[in-house]
Amino acid sequence: MSMSDPLADMLTRVRNATKAGFSTVEIPLSNLKVDVAKVMKQEGYIADYSVNESGVQGVLKIDLKYGENNETVIKGLRRVSKPGCRRYHRSDKIPKVMSGLGVAILTTSKGVITDKQARQDNVGGELLCEIW
């Protein structure tokens, strides 16, 4: 059965795994998911990720990150642009997540980047998700 929103599935798996206290989560592989995982690692929300291309589709394995006393680094994770209602923003209209404490991930003509990079590079795009 085909999935209508694979990125939302990825974010839900990560959200559920952090709430359950898992150390890793495995997700079906796609290039967009790898790019989002790369941004999450750069921003410090996950410890690491690895790609295993064996099998029919392959697997993206994400190592989750926890702080002292095993509290989660990811406090919130929300899909913004959905297949039924896409959210596009110009670079000067990109909303800040929690007054700049969180990160918004966008897909732009320069690839998958954070909201801060989009403002610096003066590019707009589709607002994929917010993490705080």
Side-chain angles (χ1 to χ4, degrees), residues 14-101:
V14 170
R15 186 184 316 112
N16 290 344
T18 57
K19 287 183 180 180
F22 292 167
S23 59
T24 63
V25 61
E26 292 185 352
I27 302 163
L29 184 64
S30 78
N31 290 333
L32 179 63
K33 294 175 190 176
V34 171
D35 291 340
V36 170
K38 185 187 307 182
V39 171
M40 290 172 75
K41 182 177 182 340
Q42 289 172 352
E43 293 297 316
Y45 287 105
I46 61 173
D48 201 7
Y49 68 94
S50 61
V51 175
N52 184 0
E53 295 186 11
S54 65
V56 175
Q57 185 174 2
V59 175
L60 172 64
K61 183 177 177 185
I62 295 178
D63 298 326
L64 301 173
K65 188 175 183 180
Y66 295 94
E68 295 178 14
N69 302 323
N70 287 334
E71 72 267 6
T72 62
V73 173
I74 298 174
K75 303 297 181 198
L77 188 60
R78 183 173 70 113
R79 176 80 156 117
V80 177
S81 184
K82 299 173 182 168
C85 185
R86 299 287 184 192
R87 305 286 183 185
Y88 294 96
H89 295 281
R90 294 190 333 224
S91 62
D92 58 341
K93 301 286 185 184
I94 298 171
K96 291 188 177 183
V97 180
M98 293 189 65
S99 301
L101 297 177

